């Protein structure tokens, strides 16, 4: 999910540099939402402690 957030962020930066404001804004919003979901899932993962036990 973090990979997709970074892909949309790069797409937004490229679209913004080329002057496509609508696509840049949409891509930036998608990247933000995916990043927030990633952070929430990461926090839930750490709180619940569902990881490998050695």
């Amino acid at each position: 999910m973090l990979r997709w957030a970074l892909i949309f962020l790069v797409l937004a930066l490229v679209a913004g540099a080329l002057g496509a404001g609508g696509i840049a804004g949409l891509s930036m919003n998608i990247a933000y939402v995916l990043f927030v979901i990633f952070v929430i899932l990461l926090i839930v993962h750490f709180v619940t402690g569902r990881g490998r036990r050695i």
Side-chain angles (χ1 to χ4, degrees):
M1 188 170 307
L2 184 59
R3 171 188 257 176
W4 283 105
L6 292 175
I7 289 171
F8 277 107
L9 177 64
V10 169
L11 179 65
L13 293 174
V14 170
L18 295 176
I23 295 172
L26 180 64
S27 297
M28 198 66 184
N29 287 337
I30 293 172
Y32 177 75
V33 169
L34 288 175
F35 182 74
V36 168
I37 292 171
F38 169 77
V39 169
I40 290 170
L41 290 176
L42 183 68
I43 291 170
V44 168
H45 175 76
F46 283 141
V47 168
T48 60
R50 296 189 183 251
R52 293 186 200 171
R53 304 254 188 235
I54 297 176

